[in-house]
Amino acid sequence: MARRPLPRIPSSGNDRIARSRELARTAADNATDVLHPLITISRGLRLLAAAGLRKWADTPKDRRGPALFLAAVCVLAVALAPYGPLLGMIGLMGVAGWKGRVRTPVRTGPDDSQIARLQALHDALVPYFSVPEDPSPLFAHGGEWAKAFSDHEFDGDGRLTRLRVKYPAYFPDGEAEARARIEQLLHAKSGRGREYLFSWDEEANQLLMSVLPALPTTIAAQRFVTAPGELVVGFTDPDAVRRTVPVLDGDATRDAPPVVWRTGPRSTEPHLLAVGHPGSGTTSLLRSLALQALTHGDVLIVEGSGTGEYACLTGRDGVLAVECGLAGALAGLEWAAHETERRLIAANRARQAGHSAPDDARRPLCILVDRPSVFSHLAAADGGPDPQQLLQVPLRHGRAAHVTVVVADQFDSLEFLNETVRTHTRARVVLGPATPEQVKSVLGAPPHTTPTSDVPPGRGYARMGTGAVLRLQVPATPDPYDDAASEAHRQAVLELLPERQATGEAGAPQEQPAAGPRTEPAAETAGPGDTALTGPREGVPAGPADAPPTGPVPEPVGGAPVRAGSAPVPAEG
């Protein structure tokens, strides 16, 4: 027997139902558009009433009577005023309409692309922050990133600029290797080419990653507000130091956080070592320190590169000599060793007599040695003494004699620095692009941020003794005779240069009667690669003419011959 087909609903009925639904939807939309002002005002009145009830409930009982009386007085005043009820009703409707308007919701959470980035970062940390024995792991494949991440911020390109990571308590956050792996992963996943700061909170098991802004490079050489014996090495982050100094940044004056190096008898780090690659800014650092040291003392410069980077200081007041050759470097450093010993003897005799040290023994003397490894190579090839041996006395006893030594060299020449230089230069600076291993080998501690491969000249790290590692930007101090440098920075250096020393008819520096300098008619024969002097050498005064005799001078370090009296310092004419 054939089955009967089920009865079918006529298609015309479906069409009528669909048309009815469309008409009802259209009527509702039209009614909503027409009644939208009334709906908005009603919503506003409801919100105002709810706010009034909350305010009334929060009002103490002893103040409800005066508040009710004040409200009644206001209503009576509005009712009795001309057109008062009408104006009051219009104002109430306006406030209700503003209160009941539809506000566009503000998105506070991350968008889809940012959520995907956070989830990918969460999955990448799973192998480091999870173990199979954990019954409820904080990091698991396919887990929720919101349980482990907080305080996340993104820049305009969608890259993370700030993130707080909560990690399990069993993670070995006290091991440097384990922390380095996490920092390297976060650095790679958050975007390279930026400098990140990682702050570990071992007590709360949290890691805060933040992107540091670049240090400004617009601060040029200038007179800094410092005390005698203080030198500004550069500038760092505002939260790294507790001191600021006013600086001229372009055309504006602002306060900047400096990295201050304290020298003199009270200093715990009286000598400094700066290391970098070619073009990293070590020479600019030495120029900046020389200009600051000339404010209160004398400067002796020994340049191993032989490129004339310190020619602007030749013949200036306070600049004892600028030596670019091996013979001049040996003579200058030999005199520095004698001068240090003379100051020690003079200060010792003054203390034994119950007097203060003479002024010439307390005047600061800064010895700047740029690339001494070049002179060591030339001295070894010539069979002569190493100039670095002559730095032993200033380095070991310079603090008591007000003598400061600054040595600058390159990474590829660190092995040629002798042990005395490495031991007594406790203030360290690393400039230019460097790996964390290179920074740690010089400073004795790894950098607290992730070094970048592309940095401007003068950018690096500094550490004073056993202090914290600080980011550093050296003030722009170019060679004023370099046409490739900025004109504003060159002019700033020229304004800081002291006046040139007075010269006689023969072009040699005139003798100063108060100091009693000595002169030699000729200099030693210049060896290969030495820079010939163009004038007679002028000896640096050993003290005032009426100072008590200091006795025989001990033998200098390195086996160099002793000259009669105080050895003269060579100076370029």
Side-chain angles (χ1 to χ4, degrees), residues 294 297-301 313-322 498 501 571:
L294 287 172
D298 299 326
V299 172
L300 172 64
I301 301 175
L313 296 171
T314 303
R316 303 284 180 174
D317 289 339
V319 180
L320 304 180
V322 178
Q501 298 176 359

Side-chain angles (χ1 to χ4, degrees), residues 75 77-91:
V75 172
V78 172
L80 296 179
Y83 304 101
L86 179 61
L87 295 177
M89 186 63 64
I90 293 175

Side-chain angles (χ1 to χ4, degrees), residues 204-403:
N205 297 323
Q206 292 183 359
L207 167 62
L208 178 61
M209 180 194 71
S210 56
V211 177
L212 295 176
L215 296 176
T217 59
T218 54
I219 301 178
Q222 55 192 280
R223 299 292 183 192
F224 300 112
V225 181
T226 56
E230 292 183 346
L231 301 178
V232 175
V233 180
F235 297 91
T236 184
D237 299 305
D239 55 349
V241 294
R242 296 177 295 178
R243 176 180 176 181
T244 59
V245 295
V247 296
L248 183 62
D249 190 355
D251 297 333
T253 302
R254 64 180 182 88
D255 292 338
V259 178
V260 178
W261 174 38
R262 293 174 176 85
T263 62
R266 304 295 183 183
S267 174
T268 58
E269 301 86 22
H271 310 297
L272 183 140
L273 173 63
V275 183
H277 293 287
S280 59
T282 54
T283 303
S284 297
L285 172 61
L286 263 63
R287 266 195 300 264
S288 175
L289 296 178
L291 293 176
Q292 298 180 58
L294 287 172
T295 306
H296 302 286
D298 299 326
V299 172
L300 172 64
I301 301 175
V302 178
E303 180 188 2
S305 59
T307 56
E309 295 288 342
Y310 304 93
C312 60
L313 296 171
T314 303
R316 303 284 180 174
D317 289 339
V319 180
L320 304 180
V322 178
E323 297 294 348
C324 302
L326 177 59
L330 289 172
L333 295 179
E334 179 187 355
W335 173 86
H338 281 290
E339 177 66 11
T340 304
E341 294 170 345
R342 186 198 66 81
R343 292 184 175 209
L344 292 175
I345 295 173
N348 183 40
R349 292 183 175 178
R351 284 192 294 267
Q352 290 179 357
H355 304 293
S356 62
D359 294 339
D360 63 324
R362 290 184 299 173
R363 181 171 175 81
L365 172 62
C366 185
I367 304 173
L368 305 178
V369 185
D370 194 355
R371 299 202 64 188
S373 58
V374 176
F375 288 130
S376 300
H377 178 73
L378 294 177
D382 197 27
D386 187 355
Q388 294 188 51
Q389 298 295 329
L390 299 174
L391 287 174
Q392 290 186 7
V393 174
L395 287 171
R396 291 178 177 177
H397 308 288
R399 180 174 63 176
H402 296 268
V403 177

Side-chain angles (χ1 to χ4, degrees), residues 457-528:
R459 179 72 53 80
Y461 298 93
R463 189 186 187 200
M464 301 300 159
T466 58
V469 179
L470 305 176
R471 288 206 305 166
L472 179 69
Q473 177 61 52
V474 177
T477 317
D479 182 6
Y481 301 152
D482 184 9
D483 297 336
S486 172
E487 180 63 28
H489 294 168
R490 292 167 52 195
Q491 188 63 33
V493 175
L494 288 174
E495 293 176 357
L496 295 178
L497 291 176
E499 298 292 335
R500 290 193 178 275
Q501 298 176 359
T503 57
E505 298 179 358
Q510 291 181 351
E511 295 186 356
Q512 301 177 3
R518 309 176 187 177
T519 57
E520 288 184 352
E524 293 88 5
T525 305

Side-chain angles (χ1 to χ4, degrees), residues 89-169:
M89 186 63 64
I90 293 175
L92 179 62
M93 293 300 104
V95 173
W98 177 262
K99 188 71 175 179
R101 74 190 188 281
V102 178
R103 298 179 178 88
T104 303
V106 179
R107 188 182 184 91
T108 57
D111 55 19
D112 296 338
S113 62
Q114 295 172 354
I115 292 176
R117 183 183 288 270
L118 290 173
Q119 187 64 42
L121 185 59
H122 174 272
D123 296 340
L125 290 172
V126 169
Y128 303 95
F129 286 150
S130 64
V131 293
E133 297 81 7
D134 193 350
S136 56
L138 187 62
F139 286 82
H141 292 288
E144 297 181 2
W145 60 267
K147 296 190 302 181
F149 296 159
S150 62
D151 296 346
H152 43 75
E153 298 178 3
F154 296 84
D155 58 7
D157 298 331
R159 298 192 300 175
L160 280 167
T161 58
R162 181 182 175 88
L163 179 65
R164 187 180 298 276
V165 181
K166 182 180 180 181
Y167 56 87

